[in-house]
Amino acid sequence: MTTPAYRIDELISAKAIAARVEALAREISAFYRGTDKLVVVGLLRGSFIFIADLVRELNLAVEVDFLEVSSYGNSTESSREVRILKDLRGEIEGRDVLVVEDIVDTGHTLRHVLSILGTRNPKRIEVCALLDKPSRREVDVKARWIGFEIPDAFVVGYGIDYAQRNRNLPHIGAVRFTGEPE
Ligand code: IMP
């Protein structure tokens, strides 16, 4: 796949991310104190680094599972359905579930994921999203915990990709297209 030339400007440093993850984990640990084995569900692939860091800071017994759904890509607004590409391995019926997402953008993905998981009768589902772009929201979904609210920029790093690249950056950067061919 050819991509136009771009550069990446640091938006959130690795140090700032680590401090925020620690603070989120403290709040989440307090919220779920006494819960019997919380199921932490990472949405692949963008959340893989975030969930790895987050669960290591949780002072709770957790089970970690993953769900991968298709992104709606360039389909039209009306057909923004998502399909399950990789389902959970475990059961969530009667359990406390924490969905860990990289970015809530329009909110369509999260809304579909919550409705899919909701049919399995969990006790309760909450969401922790690393990044939130509230100005882009098209459907009313909210994460109980948000790492950082960001403006309408295309971001990469800390697990998040642009055309499958840049997931391994330790910080979060904004993609700036430079206009020249690569
Ligand atoms: P939504 O369904 O529009 O909320 O989009 C959610 C998904 O789109 C995220 O989980 C990301 O995978 C992807 N996404 C949204 N914004 C960005 C971005 O700035 N960089 C990379 N991926 C993004």
Side-chain angles (χ1 to χ4, degrees):
M1 183 170 152
T2 53
T3 50
Y6 61 93
R7 64 166 208 268
I8 298 167
D9 297 334
E10 184 171 300
L11 198 62
I12 307 170
S13 70
K15 209 171 149 196
I17 297 170
R20 187 70 190 116
V21 169
E22 209 186 308
L24 285 171
R26 246 182 282 121
E27 285 177 32
I28 293 169
S29 298
F31 182 85
Y32 287 111
R33 190 160 299 132
T35 298
D36 183 33
K37 239 206 299 160
L38 171 70
V39 188
V40 183
V41 172
L43 297 192
L44 293 173
R45 281 172 260 178
S47 73
F48 82 105
I49 294 179
F50 179 41
I51 192 175
D53 283 348
L54 186 70
V55 294
R56 281 182 291 179
E57 298 286 345
L58 291 178
N59 191 12
L60 296 167
V62 298
E63 188 175 313
V64 177
D65 210 336
F66 292 97
L67 182 71
E68 184 172 11
V69 295
S70 60
S71 67
Y72 40 75
N74 30 20
S75 62
T76 58
E77 309 263 321
S78 56
S79 61
R80 283 186 161 178
E81 289 294 320
V82 300
R83 282 179 307 111
I84 295 179
L85 299 178
K86 187 222 158 287
D87 207 342
L88 301 178
R89 292 292 297 272
E91 303 289 330
I92 57 166
E93 187 168 352
R95 313 273 307 268
D96 252 306
V97 177
L98 175 64
V99 173
V100 176
E101 168 69 308
D102 57 353
I103 308 176
V104 187
D105 186 26
T106 63
H108 288 277
T109 306
L110 190 55
R111 190 179 57 130
H112 283 289
V113 165
L114 292 176
S115 82
I116 291 167
L117 297 182
T119 64
R120 300 178 188 183
N121 302 318
K123 183 173 148 205
R124 175 171 56 176
I125 308 183
E126 300 292 352
V127 177
C128 176
L130 175 67
L131 303 175
D132 186 18
K133 295 188 205 172
S135 65
R136 297 256 311 158
R137 198 74 86 253
E138 292 175 9
V139 292
D140 185 26
V141 283
K142 277 192 186 69
R144 179 175 283 272
W145 296 282
I146 287 162
F148 301 91
E149 219 177 84
I150 58 167
D152 180 11
F154 195 85
V155 295
V156 291
Y158 197 66
I160 300 163
D161 75 305
Y162 170 46
Q164 298 307 326
R165 286 162 70 171
N166 310 117
R167 288 191 199 273
N168 56 326
L169 279 180
H171 57 267
I172 289 166
V175 172
R176 310 269 183 226
F177 294 98
T178 55
E180 298 121 35
E182 198 169 48

